[in-house]
Amino acid sequence: MTDIIQLLPDHVANQIAAGEVVQRPASVVKELLENAIDAGSTEVKLIIKDAGKTLVQVIDNGKGMSVTDARLSFERHATSKIRSAEDLFHLQTKGFRGEALASIAAIAHVELKTKRPEDELGTAIEIEGSKVKSQEVSVTPTGTSVSVKNLFFNIPARRNFLKSDTVELRHITDEFHRVALAHPNLAFAFYHNGSELFNLPSENYRQRVVHIFGSKTNEKLVPVDEDTEVLKISGFVGKPEYAKKTRSEQFFFVNQRFIKSAYLNHAISAAFEGLLKDGYHASYFLNLAVDPKTIDINIHPTKTEIKFDDEHTLYAILRSAVKHSLGQFNIAPILDFEHQSQLNTPYNYKDKVGKAPTIEVDRSFNPFSSDQSSSKSTAFKSDYKKAPAANWESLYVGLESKGNNASNDFAEVTFESNPETATLFSDDAIASNKTTFQLQNKYIVSTLKSGMLIIDQSRAHQRILYENFLKLITVKEATSQQLLFPLELSITPNECLIIKHMQTDLEHAGFVFSEIREETLIVTGVPVEVPESEVSIIIEQLLSDVETNVPDASFSTADLLAKSMAKSLAIKNGQQLNSQEQEHLVNSLFACKEPSVSPTNRPTFITMDARSIEKKFI
Ligand code: ADP
Ligand code: MG
């Protein structure tokens, strides 16, 4: 029998390797930016077209390459960065595999221009699908420019697999953020289809964070600095009140390399324990410096994961450093969740006696008398209306009480300030033809001919609102209410892009914007269904939904928008409903096209037939 094993030709091996290194245009961006940094550049320019599908180009002013190196750089396992396995433990560079350029050249049209400072003339090389098309002497500035065109031109399956430009651009922006944050001392510029997205001068770390995430970020940063024998920590965590619903502002850099670590992330969550509301994530921008000997970055092909020798110690140091910072900046005691109910008081004080710092004790003042509590309720209610919408915290407080904490504040408010509800409620109890009742302020129970129906009130309401919004957006018939005062929201440059991208759908839904700038959004009109006090929450929720679930071809923005608004506006669990409201909810649910599932595909109700009930009695 003849032997059947053969060595793969280089260009095939390169294509296979490319599959690991290059998943999408953002992977090319990452590799090229890292090469530019390894080359000791001080200025790096990133230019892309069509979200990198047509062009990714990185121009640097680093040390360049000789003629021979320029040619060798495209060979697989050709690297100037390590010489022996031993070097892997002293890595000072981002790259070390010598695979990136070879892989990229296997699946794209690549042009390299490079010149060392000591040379008069540089080198230009063109490669297509691993084949060198030309190599020339070239007049070119010191440094290197690599252009990668028509990515995956020879692997159509891969090319078709790419997502919409919005999605691919987001991946690229993420990579850019990571590299730019890891190297604040280097200047970076980023252009997409001819327009400048970022232009970052050499600056300090705080300035870099603020430049990338918007000027409002400045006030939310709490410095973290810790210097121990095994670990140096520097950087910032975000104040708890600015926590986000997404993890989009969580950055760990180990020796200036962006990494993901669920374990270390947990250390931060532990430090924030009790300071964040459910579902919110702390922001952090932290640089960890450790001895390169104690880490192994070799375990993941795209190198965002890392193995530490002594994770437990790092965890403990990190947690206590962050805790210490939060404590030192007096954040922990103010926002202690345990004291949530007292949180309302400072806001009331702010409005009422904020301007009178004299201490005159009102001896009859009793915070626990019922009198006080009712005035608290009304103050609270009006606060809720009046609150400048940009004052997110107070809005959250409002939501909190309205939603989950029905047991304390809100229950009080409903009963005291709304006697009608109370009457209705007692009438109701007498009513004999009652067909529904509420269980634990969460479920609506109703009888069916065949047995029993249990509806999840929040999911059901989401379904109803979702179908309604979707209809309004698609038929473009939503009515808009003009806001009395235009609402100014601060946004990040990235959020600005998202809003611009969704603008048409948002307008069809009833939103009107008078300005969409990099850091400011001015809202002048909202859908009639949206209470003025909740506009900012809805927009924030929407941005966070888009960030976690970027719409692409298979997922229309209209759908996402409808889902997000439904989620924000739906009645929550814990909210008491009178029998009319209950019935209305049940009827509206069953008038829906798809009553049985919530917009996120979870069951809205369950039924229990008489027979299975009978069985329980056996
Ligand atoms: P690695 O970065 O892992 O060494 P690459 O394939 O990315 O592998 O690059 C191969 C080699 O080409 C590098 O080791 C470096 O010597 C050279 N090189 C790549 N990009 C640049 C650049 N922008 N400036 C100078 N040299 C570069
Ligand atoms: Mg490299």
Side-chain angles (χ1 to χ4, degrees):
M1 205 198 264
T2 50
D3 298 330
I4 51 171
I5 297 180
Q6 292 181 8
L7 278 178
L8 288 174
D10 260 3
H11 69 275
V12 179
N14 281 340
Q15 269 201 16
I16 294 171
E20 248 187 46
V21 180
V22 186
Q23 277 107 32
R24 51 178 12 126
S27 331
V28 175
V29 168
K30 173 180 192 284
E31 294 296 338
L32 297 187
L33 288 177
E34 290 190 349
N35 279 348
I37 290 165
D38 285 345
S41 317
T42 55
E43 281 173 25
V44 182
K45 224 184 246 176
L46 167 66
I47 300 166
I48 61 170
K49 285 203 180 119
D50 304 323
K53 293 172 186 169
T54 315
L55 171 77
V56 174
Q57 181 178 16
V58 170
I59 305 170
D60 68 46
N61 65 350
K63 65 182 177 201
M65 284 179 261
S66 69
V67 184
T68 322
D69 283 351
R71 183 67 174 260
L72 261 181
S73 67
F74 291 103
E75 293 296 321
R76 205 142 65 92
H77 307 305
T79 179
S80 55
K81 298 169 193 172
I82 57 170
R83 302 203 170 259
S84 68
E86 179 58 19
D87 293 346
L88 277 174
F89 302 100
H90 313 282
L91 274 180
Q92 304 289 344
T93 54
K94 314 259 161 210
F96 58 88
R97 293 160 181 271
E99 261 176 358
L101 288 184
S103 301
I104 295 168
I107 50 164
H109 298 161
V110 178
E111 275 174 46
L112 167 80
K113 281 188 180 175
T114 187
K115 185 182 92 62
R116 297 183 299 179
E118 64 265 37
D119 296 337
E120 190 91 335
L121 289 168
T123 310
I125 297 182
E126 279 182 70
I127 298 196
E128 292 182 2
S130 298
K131 289 196 193 72
V132 179
K133 292 279 158 181
S134 70
Q135 172 164 355
E136 294 164 358
V137 174
S138 159
V139 180
T140 180
T142 294
T144 304
S145 155
V146 183
S147 309
V148 178
K149 295 180 185 161
N150 308 321
L151 189 66
F152 298 131
F153 77 98
N154 50 357
I155 319 180
R158 275 277 176 132
R159 201 171 164 86
N160 295 338
F161 187 70
L162 292 179
K163 298 273 167 54
S164 67
D165 282 7
T166 324
V167 176
E168 295 301 340
L169 180 61
R170 237 199 98 61
H171 285 288
I172 292 175
T173 313
D174 283 348
E175 290 298 347
F176 178 80
H177 285 170
R178 292 167 185 179
V179 174
L181 282 171
H183 298 275
N185 56 324
L186 308 185
F188 289 94
F190 177 7
Y191 303 86
H192 182 223
N193 291 341
S195 59
E196 179 185 284
L197 298 186
F198 289 95
N199 193 345
L200 310 166
S202 163
E203 54 197 344
N204 68 29
Y205 192 49
R206 179 184 275 271
Q207 290 165 329
R208 179 57 53 96
V209 173
V210 169
H211 257 134
I212 292 181
F213 295 101
S215 57
K216 289 277 170 197
T217 318
N218 198 20
E219 66 207 51
K220 78 181 195 187
L221 299 178
V222 180
V224 181
D225 274 295
E226 186 67 66
D227 199 345
T228 71
E229 245 169 58
V230 288
L231 170 67
K232 259 195 200 120
I233 308 172
S234 64
F236 305 95
V237 293
K239 291 180 186 166
E241 66 264 40
Y242 293 100
K244 299 199 84 175
K245 286 205 162 185
T246 63
R247 298 179 175 277
S248 61
E249 290 186 1
Q250 301 193 326
F251 295 89
F252 277 127
F253 299 94
V254 172
N255 298 352
Q256 298 194 299
R257 186 189 293 275
F258 172 81
I259 62 139
K260 284 183 184 155
S261 164
Y263 186 67
L264 294 185
N265 177 63
H266 192 269
I268 310 278
S269 310
F272 272 86
E273 205 193 326
L275 300 179
L276 299 178
K277 294 185 192 85
D278 258 5
Y280 281 78
H281 305 286
S283 302
Y284 55 82
F285 313 88
L286 292 171
N287 300 300
L288 316 182
V290 297
D291 184 342
K293 270 195 237 111
T294 65
I295 52 172
D296 180 1
I297 45 185
N298 208 1
I299 61 167
H300 195 276
T302 49
K303 294 172 283 180
T304 50
E305 276 159 30
I306 206 171
K307 226 164 74 188
F308 298 96
D309 279 357
D310 186 3
E311 267 192 336
H312 294 305
T313 311
L314 300 193
Y315 182 103
I317 298 174
L318 191 58
R319 190 185 61 173
S320 77
V322 172
K323 250 195 147 147
H324 178 75
S325 290
L326 291 174
Q328 204 179 23
F329 288 85
N330 234 354
I331 287 148
I334 297 172
L335 267 152
D336 198 332
F337 218 178
E338 310 281 42
H339 301 130
Q340 183 65 33
S341 55
Q342 290 167 12
L343 247 181
N344 301 335
T345 326
Y347 289 119
N348 287 342
Y349 275 129
K350 204 156 65 186
D351 286 342
K352 285 193 214 154
V353 293
K355 284 183 207 129
T358 47
I359 307 173
E360 264 175 56
V361 180
D362 172 2
R363 291 186 186 283
S364 64
F365 176 83
N366 176 358
F368 300 106
S369 75
S370 59
D371 211 29
Q372 175 61 24
S373 84
S374 83
S375 84
K376 180 180 154 196
S377 313
T378 27
F380 174 70
K381 274 211 143 173
S382 53
D383 255 13
Y384 187 45
K385 280 243 165 76
K386 265 193 312 193
N391 193 351
W392 305 55
E393 304 152 86
S394 56
L395 286 172
Y396 285 135
V397 173
L399 255 200
E400 193 61 39
S401 311
K402 188 175 146 201
N404 308 331
N405 291 0
S407 51
N408 37 31
D409 279 339
F410 192 67
E412 228 175 295
V413 173
T414 330
F415 276 91
E416 283 180 31
S417 61
N418 197 354
E420 283 151 356
T421 323
T423 2
L424 241 183
F425 195 74
S426 46
D427 271 1
D428 216 51
I430 309 160
S432 54
N433 60 348
K434 208 175 116 180
T435 54
T436 59
F437 69 90
Q438 207 181 6
L439 190 67
Q440 297 185 326
N441 289 344
K442 188 171 176 191
Y443 303 107
I444 295 166
V445 183
S446 178
T447 49
L448 291 173
K449 257 194 201 144
S450 59
M452 189 167 79
L453 175 73
I454 304 174
I455 297 174
D456 181 310
Q457 65 186 39
S458 179
R459 289 184 193 175
H461 197 207
Q462 281 184 43
R463 161 56 61 183
I464 299 162
L465 293 172
Y466 166 72
E467 290 199 2
N468 184 35
F469 281 126
L470 199 58
K471 197 172 88 203
L472 292 176
I473 299 169
T474 354
V475 299
K476 302 172 189 155
E477 264 178 10
T479 26
S480 179
Q481 55 170 326
Q482 208 178 345
L483 294 179
L484 212 49
F485 302 101
L487 182 69
E488 194 174 318
L489 300 176
S490 54
I491 53 174
T492 66
N494 197 30
E495 288 170 340
C496 167
L497 287 178
I498 297 177
I499 301 255
K500 281 188 177 157
H501 177 74
M502 299 186 74
Q503 191 174 358
T504 323
D505 280 322
L506 284 164
E507 283 168 4
H508 289 158
F511 285 97
V512 185
F513 305 111
S514 68
E515 266 186 77
I516 309 176
R517 270 182 284 129
E518 267 219 342
E519 301 199 342
T520 324
L521 177 70
I522 300 182
V523 190
T524 51
V526 296
V528 275
E529 294 82 0
V530 176
E532 218 170 312
S533 56
E534 305 212 2
V535 179
S536 54
I537 293 173
I538 284 175
I539 291 177
E540 201 224 2
Q541 178 70 49
L542 180 70
L543 289 168
S544 122
D545 287 345
V546 177
E547 282 186 339
T548 40
N549 199 351
V550 192
D552 57 50
S554 62
F555 209 163
S556 76
T557 48
D559 188 73
L560 194 85
L561 178 58
K563 269 186 194 150
S564 178
M565 300 217 308
K567 187 160 88 188
S568 304
L569 290 171
I571 47 169
K572 307 286 183 297
N573 290 334
Q575 188 163 332
Q576 201 161 51
L577 303 174
N578 65 37
S579 65
Q580 258 176 346
E581 290 166 334
Q582 293 170 24
E583 259 167 54
H584 185 66
L585 191 83
V586 178
N587 293 337
S588 315
L589 176 65
F590 288 101
C592 283
K593 282 193 188 139
E594 257 189 85
S596 59
V597 285
S598 76
T600 48
N601 251 334
R602 285 185 291 179
T604 48
F605 63 83
I606 53 167
T607 55
M608 219 187 259
D609 61 26
R611 232 177 303 147
S612 57
I613 298 174
E614 271 161 27
K615 271 194 198 146
K616 297 227 182 268
F617 286 99
I618 298 175

